[in-house]
Amino acid sequence: MTRRGLTLTGLSVLVLIAYPWVFSSNYAINLGFLVLFAAYLGQTWNIAGGFAGQTSFGHVVFFGVGAYVSTILQTAYGVNPWIAWLFAALGGALLGWIVGVLSYRAGLKGAYFALITLAVAEVGRIVANSVPITKGGLGILLQADPRPANFQFRDPVWFYYIVLALCLLSLLTAWQLTRTRFGARLAAIRENEDAAQALGIDSLREKVKCLTLSGGLCGAGGTVYVQKYLYIDPSIAFGVDKSVEMLLVSMIGGAGTVLGPLIGSGLLHVVGEVTRDLGNMLPGVSNAQPLSLIVYGALLIAIVAWLPDGLMGLFRKRRKEARRA
Amino acid sequence: MIFLCQTVAWQVPDFTTGVRSLANCAANRQGCKGEAIMSHRQARRHAISRRRFIAGSAATSALTFPGVVRGQAKAIKVGLIHPVTGFVAYSGQQSRIGAAMAIEDVNKAGGIKAMGGAPLEALLGDSQSKVEVGVSEVEKMNEAGVAAYIGCFQSPVGIAASQAAAKYNTPFIIDVGASDLIVSRGLKNVFRLKPGFGRCAEDAIVALGEINTAAGSPAKSAVLVHESGEFGTGTAKLLAGKLPSIGIEAKELIAHDNPTRNMDNVALRIRGIRPDILIMSNYVNEYTLLARTLHQQKVDVIAMFSVLGGGFNYKLVKDLPEVAENMMDYNHWFNPKSGRAQDLKKRVQAAGGLFTFEVYLTYNSVMLLADALERAKTADKDRLIEALTTSTWATDIVPYGPTKFVNGQNEGGRAAGLQVQKGDIQVVHPAQFASASAVFPKPKYN
Amino acid sequence: MLTPEILFAGVINGLMAGGIYVLVAVGLTLIYGVLHIVNFAHGSLLMLAMYSVFFLWRKPLGLDPYVSLPFVTAGAFAFGYLLYRSLIGHFSHGKDENILLITLGLSIIIDNATLFFFTGDTQTIDVAYAGHMISLGPAVVALPKLVSFGAALLICLLLGLFMTRTDMGKAIRAVAKERQGARLVGIDVEGVMAISYGIGIACLGAAACLLMPTFYVSPTSGHAFVLIAFTIVALGGMGSFKGALLGGLIIGVVESIGGLWLGEQLGQIGIPLVFILILLLRPTGLFGAAR
């Protein structure tokens, strides 16, 4: 990244750290949490989908597995939540590894890979609904006991900072992917897998590593969600909504870019807010949420069609043109 | 399987509020005096919030609708959080209608007289069926200084939202939400007026037992079909456990997914088992599909007895009258013998709507709150919670006894036995509220 | 519990359900085979077709779904054709994932536009013959289900004839096999692709008419069929009609027996599992061409 890019990023990070001091209402902090959380999950998707070109439609399965692992360990086995968090990440990583090995060994790519991840998420949902350890459709309630040792906090600002830290961690990871050989290999695989293999890259190994990393980070996100909202059930854990959310946020911001998911998350929030206000202004309109979703769908189409590098691609284009001028 | 309509819905920080708070913060550097027990940060936020609250409510009272503010009394804000968009938008909107009607009635009668005629003011929030959004609304309304919340139709949202409200010790009245997890957390600010599925299941068993006995006990076996979520699973397990106590054997529990493409195999299994009673606990689509399939296949049972059946409503009766005829449900209902209930029903129907359970349950929640405010004579949170906890509020709109909260659950509430008879829905149990007697067994198909 | 009678009835039920799945899958496999498009919007378009059946059935038109079948099918064809020409056609030449994402975006738009205009209420149609039951040995089948089974087979037959006997059918097969070659011999490839997409959606129109007498429509009701349609197409082989027909019936029966054996909830796991297994072990499916 250029020095300008680094300064900008550094400034943004400072802004994000300072945010709860400026907008200090619980409501604003809560919203900040949601934006950063969506950006974090989007970044985990981006690592596989953007950097390695492995578009996945079922990424929520890692989130769900992470959420259930840490919750079940806490409630049924009395494990400390922080330790359970580690296991959640490990669970997500393990699942990522399994899905990666199975799918890539079978040579699945592109749409086939996307669809198989969707099917895996669906299996997850059905299993979660059917087995006693997850309490099935009843869901699991975490007893509210807000102590830091219990990974629960009375003041929501702690969750904000935890998610900010995770977000920064994922940004760093993504940034590393742009600088290391591992990332370069993934980029080669993304651009032309056959050529990459011809160059001697073991694409199977790299893709599996990538999906494992992505799954692990995503699983960690699952735990944070349950610690904050204290409840999980199969539809929250494995519903397609989150998969689509992760995908949208990355694609619109710029798949394969470092800041893409963060920008995408910010933009989609703004869009959501604007369309809701629009909905409130239109007479006789009582349901505005579909409007915002229609806009998201249109944005997705527009981005895929005209701005395949998302918003970040737009910035890059402008910068290139500015330099040429 | 894919519920894309419930995807993504976000809100952006309220920037104007943030800017104002920044200004306040700068001006209010000494806001931490006397808050030694809180952290410095928390104290500043607390002070800022209070200042903003005062600034905010001054602005709001200047803007309140004319005719509602009487004299000097400041409006009491009530936060309403319902899923008015998305999948269950209809239920969310019905809930809002009930709450709006109640607030209107309270204000028309002179507001909260013990507080100088203070009117109630509704703050409307859309939970969009999502836990995160419901919690976000709680936070937003807390900034606006609500005295109490009413919501959220769906149990998971209600659980999370009331947990969030507990941070501020703000009373949270659950209007609809069947899960008994809601009232099992030891939270002092949570109140549920309507009975949970535990209580409904028990009462349903009693009702079924009495109706069966009155007909000479023809029913000896039952099959339970339920949706695989928390509502269906919980209800079915409870019922299965209690059926033997009224002499009925629970032969099988059939769980199904949401959504289900067809009920043919469920019907097949039911035909194989030949139960006397079919008990259903599911949501509207699957309920309707199963009822239709069984009707089409002319499966004879002594009764179709749903407990909290999601599809048992006026729409089913209107759209599929033959399927609905003689179906029974044990569900939340209004008291047909109450003049006030009938008036409310007429009012809702005059506006072109249906008088569904969301309407009167939310109506009651508002009335409960109004009564508590009268007795507490203040909107102070501790006193209001105290007033709610000791409430004995009673109404004849629903077949409840006087309110009695135990751990946040009203023990005085109950559901009623209903049956579709000749294109209308009658209450058939308990006797004191009944508008007709049960047709049991229901006539066979040939 | 699983007596031979129940198994037999289960198989019959599965076949009947499979009939509808076949119609949904046939459109999908045609679109993939010819256009190499994984049409993620398939479920949403099915839902739109079902809504049109509903509105045609309502007063003042009061058209029975079997009567409106030719109109809905024709309308669906037109809609699909126009949709291809205006939107999808422009992007069908890029990467697989891109078109998948575009059809995903499209399905989000369609679902939410429907939710916005028609609200989330479930709608059903009540036709007199929906209750007629036909006995097939120990099994009892509702008349509309038998009709839909027969109609699905008939439509597959007609489509097969169309593909092999008519000029347009041959042109479609040519484009599917070798696009550049087809262009070189003067076939209007873009037009053929638009027509193929239209036919794929027309199948959904027919499926909607056959489904409505026993099912319901709501803004999300199409999605119940999406993954199962993909599973069938994968099982049968992407692009193979025979495969879609056989695959649809097999899946219908597997789902039915799975439900009887494992319980309706866990039995549902059969479908994504079958899908995963096919993709891992035999991605070309039963009749698909190797890629």
Side-chain angles (χ1 to χ4, degrees):
Chain A
M1 233 199 275
T2 62
R3 216 176 62 177
R4 203 163 140 220
L6 268 169
T7 354
L8 267 172
T9 314
L11 270 171
S12 324
V13 171
L14 280 171
V15 165
L16 288 173
I17 294 179
Y19 172 83
W21 293 82
V22 174
F23 302 98
S24 55
S25 72
N26 277 347
Y27 168 61
I29 291 175
N30 199 44
L31 284 172
F33 172 89
L34 289 174
V35 175
L36 288 177
F37 192 66
Y40 173 70
L41 287 182
Q43 190 70 273
T44 67
W45 184 93
N46 193 26
I47 288 172
F51 285 98
Q54 304 302 308
T55 310
S56 132
F57 270 26
H59 236 66
V60 72
V61 74
F62 306 117
F63 169 88
V65 161
Y68 267 109
V69 163
S70 65
T71 311
I72 291 174
L73 282 177
Q74 279 180 66
T75 55
Y77 300 100
V79 175
N80 177 276
W82 295 98
I83 301 189
W85 195 17
L86 248 106
F87 280 98
L90 284 172
L94 179 65
L95 185 64
W97 185 82
I98 293 174
V99 173
V101 164
L102 287 177
S103 322
Y104 298 138
R105 272 257 178 80
L108 292 179
K109 38 182 95 154
Y112 288 86
F113 178 71
L115 290 174
I116 208 176
T117 58
L118 188 65
V120 171
E122 182 61 3
V123 169
R125 190 185 68 84
I126 295 174
V127 168
N129 242 336
S130 319
V131 297
I133 201 176
T134 57
K135 303 230 181 95
L138 278 166
I140 306 181
L141 195 64
L142 269 185
Q143 197 62 29
D145 183 10
R147 292 175 292 122
N150 207 21
F151 202 159
Q152 289 181 34
F153 307 97
R154 206 178 286 276
D155 192 343
V157 82
W158 288 103
F159 280 113
Y160 175 87
Y161 281 122
I162 287 180
V163 129
L164 177 60
L166 282 177
C167 206
L168 291 175
L169 172 69
S170 68
L171 276 170
L172 257 154
T173 313
W175 188 47
Q176 282 297 90
L177 285 180
T178 63
R179 300 177 72 229
T180 60
R181 289 218 196 109
F182 175 50
R185 289 197 287 265
L186 290 178
I189 293 172
R190 175 187 71 214
E191 293 305 317
N192 190 332
E193 189 163 348
D194 292 326
Q197 283 182 309
L199 286 171
I201 295 176
D202 183 350
S203 70
L204 173 67
R205 228 182 64 168
E206 304 303 321
K207 287 196 290 189
V208 169
K209 266 202 287 192
C210 180
L211 196 58
T212 308
L213 175 65
S214 173
L217 288 173
C218 199
T223 306
V224 175
Y225 182 94
V226 188
Q227 296 305 124
K228 179 163 164 78
Y229 292 107
L230 301 177
Y231 179 73
I232 191 77
D233 74 16
S235 61
I236 295 175
F238 297 106
V240 184
D241 322 344
K242 285 221 163 47
S243 291
V244 176
E245 206 176 272
M246 291 188 232
L247 191 156
L248 269 179
V249 145
S250 303
M251 296 242 36
I252 289 179
T257 68
V258 175
L259 291 174
L262 191 55
I263 294 187
S265 180
L267 173 70
L268 285 174
H269 277 67
V270 171
V271 166
E273 185 72 358
V274 167
T275 46
R276 184 149 34 90
D277 284 344
L278 225 94
N280 290 338
M281 285 195 284
L282 293 173
V285 170
S286 58
N287 50 337
Q289 185 203 10
L291 284 178
S292 68
L293 288 165
I294 294 175
V295 174
Y296 297 148
L299 266 176
L300 179 61
I301 293 180
I303 297 280
V304 173
W306 292 298
L307 276 180
D309 291 328
L311 286 178
M312 286 302 294
L314 197 61
F315 298 149
R316 284 215 191 113
K317 252 198 265 179
R318 287 238 190 90
R319 233 192 306 148
K320 273 201 204 128
E321 274 151 28
R323 252 187 254 145
R324 240 182 274 142
Chain B
M1 183 201 95
I2 302 176
F3 292 51
L4 283 167
C5 297
Q6 278 179 286
T7 312
V8 211
W10 291 301
Q11 304 146 52
V12 132
D14 185 344
F15 285 117
T16 48
T17 323
V19 168
R20 240 187 289 146
S21 93
L22 180 60
N24 287 341
C25 164
N28 197 27
R29 263 180 294 248
Q30 311 99 314
C32 319
K33 289 195 268 237
E35 323 269 24
I37 41 165
M38 287 190 245
S39 73
H40 173 83
R41 261 212 78 257
Q42 268 183 311
R44 257 183 58 228
R45 275 196 291 122
H46 196 76
I48 293 166
S49 302
R50 245 188 279 139
R51 232 183 117 156
R52 215 164 349 111
F53 171 102
I54 295 167
S57 51
T60 324
S61 16
L63 291 171
T64 36
F65 356 91
V68 174
V69 178
R70 278 164 178 51
Q72 249 89 307
K74 201 175 58 167
I76 301 168
K77 300 199 173 126
V78 182
L80 303 174
I81 303 179
H82 296 107
V84 290
T85 60
F87 246 123
V88 289
Y90 179 71
S91 295
Q93 278 154 11
Q94 291 292 94
S95 305
R96 259 198 198 168
I97 288 174
M101 272 172 51
I103 290 179
E104 192 187 314
D105 288 351
V106 165
N107 292 342
K108 269 215 201 101
I112 306 295
K113 301 178 195 56
M115 289 173 67
L120 294 179
E121 183 192 330
L123 296 187
L124 302 176
D126 179 9
S127 73
Q128 299 170 345
S129 300
K130 306 186 89 184
V131 161
E132 304 93 85
V133 182
V135 167
S136 207
E137 288 293 329
V138 167
E139 302 289 353
K140 185 155 79 170
M141 291 175 178
N142 179 59
E143 298 300 311
V146 285
Y149 296 97
I150 297 179
C152 299
F153 187 72
Q154 290 145 313
S155 293
V157 183
I159 288 173
S162 53
Q163 189 86 45
K167 282 201 311 279
Y168 310 113
N169 205 31
T170 310
F172 200 110
I173 301 177
I174 300 279
D175 48 12
V176 180
S179 170
D180 280 334
L181 287 176
I182 294 176
V183 287
S184 65
R185 299 169 288 164
L187 291 177
K188 305 233 177 314
N189 68 319
V190 178
F191 300 93
R192 181 166 65 181
L193 194 57
K194 71 181 261 288
F197 59 51
R199 175 62 194 277
C200 288
E202 285 168 20
D203 288 346
I205 294 288
V206 169
L208 183 57
E210 284 175 17
I211 294 175
N212 194 21
T213 312
S217 300
K220 306 230 183 317
S221 63
V223 163
L224 292 85
V225 178
H226 67 93
E227 62 95 25
S228 54
E230 38 124 4
F231 148 59
T233 314
T235 313
K237 283 207 179 116
L238 270 167
L239 290 171
K242 292 187 191 296
L243 278 170
S245 70
I246 53 169
I248 297 182
E249 182 198 347
K251 289 216 154 151
E252 191 160 324
L253 271 72
I254 303 177
H256 67 77
D257 200 9
N258 291 326
T260 297
R261 273 174 297 273
N262 77 67
M263 290 285 186
D264 286 336
N265 278 349
V266 176
L268 181 63
R269 288 164 87 176
I270 293 172
R271 286 207 329 265
I273 301 172
R274 276 190 229 283
D276 296 321
I277 309 266
L278 177 69
I279 302 184
M280 315 199 288
S281 297
N282 36 23
Y283 293 119
V284 59
N285 292 338
E286 286 66 36
Y287 184 96
T288 314
L289 196 60
L290 180 60
R292 283 184 91 179
T293 307
L294 293 172
H295 176 75
Q296 282 165 0
Q297 299 192 10
K298 300 202 176 22
V299 179
D300 271 321
V301 288
I302 291 180
M304 302 252 289
F305 190 90
S306 50
V307 178
L308 300 175
F312 189 96
N313 51 35
Y314 286 119
K315 188 160 159 53
L316 178 74
V317 176
K318 190 167 66 114
D319 287 348
L320 300 170
E322 283 160 29
V323 175
E325 188 67 14
N326 293 324
M327 280 184 76
M328 297 176 75
D329 186 31
Y330 205 84
N331 214 329
H332 307 286
W333 206 252
F334 62 93
N335 176 7
K337 296 189 172 161
S338 154
R340 282 190 63 197
Q342 296 290 356
D343 283 341
L344 278 179
K345 182 175 174 194
K346 283 197 201 90
R347 246 164 97 185
V348 172
Q349 287 173 338
L354 291 173
F355 196 49
T356 58
F357 70 95
E358 299 96 341
V359 177
Y360 37 92
L361 286 183
T362 325
Y363 187 93
N364 286 342
S365 300
V366 173
M367 290 306 184
L368 170 75
L369 177 67
D371 173 78
L373 283 165
E374 288 282 2
R375 286 170 35 241
K377 304 193 198 346
T378 168
D380 169 78
K381 292 179 183 174
D382 287 324
R383 304 262 290 281
L384 188 51
I385 288 182
E386 168 80 35
L388 280 166
T389 313
T390 55
S391 176
T392 54
W393 177 76
T395 176
D396 72 334
I397 292 178
V398 282
Y400 294 5
T403 302
K404 180 168 171 348
F405 283 113
V406 174
N407 290 331
Q409 175 63 54
N410 174 22
E411 306 267 304
R414 63 164 308 132
L418 311 166
Q419 187 169 34
V420 178
Q421 294 179 356
K422 300 204 194 352
D424 196 6
I425 297 179
Q426 306 287 355
V427 174
V428 296
H429 188 279
Q432 79 225 67
F433 300 110
S435 55
S437 48
V439 173
F440 185 99
K442 73 178 181 84
K444 288 199 193 278
Y445 276 105
N446 40 348
Chain C
M1 185 45 233
L2 278 188
T3 65
E5 288 88 26
I6 291 198
L7 265 176
F8 179 77
V11 168
I12 298 286
N13 282 343
L15 286 173
M16 297 298 118
I20 292 287
Y21 299 160
V22 165
L23 274 179
V24 179
V26 145
L28 197 61
T29 207
L30 174 63
I31 291 173
Y32 187 78
V34 178
L35 303 166
H36 302 301
I37 289 177
V38 183
N39 188 25
F40 209 74
H42 220 61
S44 311
L45 292 165
L46 173 65
M47 178 267 294
L48 270 185
M50 284 164 75
Y51 263 109
S52 18
V53 175
F54 170 70
F55 284 119
L56 287 174
W57 172 81
R58 258 209 323 208
K59 313 274 191 276
L61 284 168
L63 285 180
D64 181 272
Y66 296 145
V67 168
S68 56
L69 190 137
F71 302 110
V72 175
T73 310
F77 173 81
F79 189 77
Y81 183 89
L82 288 169
L83 192 61
Y84 185 87
R85 278 291 197 193
S86 59
L87 179 68
I88 299 181
H90 297 300
F91 309 113
S92 63
H93 305 294
K95 285 203 292 193
D96 249 2
E97 302 96 84
N98 282 356
I99 193 65
L100 192 55
L101 288 167
I102 292 204
T103 51
L104 171 66
L106 190 62
S107 82
I108 295 178
I109 293 179
I110 294 178
D111 287 346
N112 285 284
T114 313
L115 182 61
F116 184 70
F117 288 113
F118 302 148
T119 78
D121 279 350
T122 305
Q123 306 290 2
T124 52
I125 67 174
D126 194 13
V127 286
Y129 50 81
H132 284 159
M133 302 302 289
I134 316 246
S135 299
L136 291 172
V140 168
V141 183
L143 182 63
K145 297 225 162 114
L146 208 52
V147 169
S148 65
F149 180 76
L153 290 178
L154 185 64
I155 290 176
C156 279
L157 184 66
L158 287 173
L159 263 179
L161 285 173
F162 173 79
M163 285 291 170
T164 45
R165 300 288 168 83
T166 65
D167 281 343
M168 177 52 72
K170 290 188 197 152
I172 293 177
R173 278 162 54 217
V175 170
K177 235 185 160 76
E178 175 57 63
R179 209 177 280 181
Q180 272 300 76
R183 207 172 269 137
L184 286 172
V185 299
I187 294 178
D188 171 17
V189 169
E190 282 307 308
V192 163
M193 286 166 70
I195 288 179
S196 308
Y197 196 82
I199 295 177
I201 308 303
C203 292
L204 288 176
C209 295
L210 297 169
L211 198 50
M212 276 308 276
T214 50
F215 204 63
Y216 55 83
V217 64
S218 73
T220 50
S221 58
H223 291 300
F225 296 91
V226 168
L227 189 60
I228 212 170
F230 278 119
T231 309
I232 293 168
V233 169
L235 173 62
M238 302 238 188
S240 160
F241 280 151
K242 259 192 307 197
L245 181 56
L246 200 58
L249 296 178
I250 292 177
I251 291 287
V253 173
V254 164
E255 181 192 40
S256 179
I257 300 298
L260 283 174
W261 182 38
L262 291 171
E264 292 300 311
Q265 175 58 64
L266 194 55
Q268 285 297 303
I269 213 173
I271 291 158
L273 273 182
V274 167
F275 187 62
I276 292 173
L277 284 170
I278 296 170
L279 282 186
L280 292 180
L281 300 172
R282 202 191 154 91
T284 52
L286 293 170
F287 297 106
R291 321 212 90 249

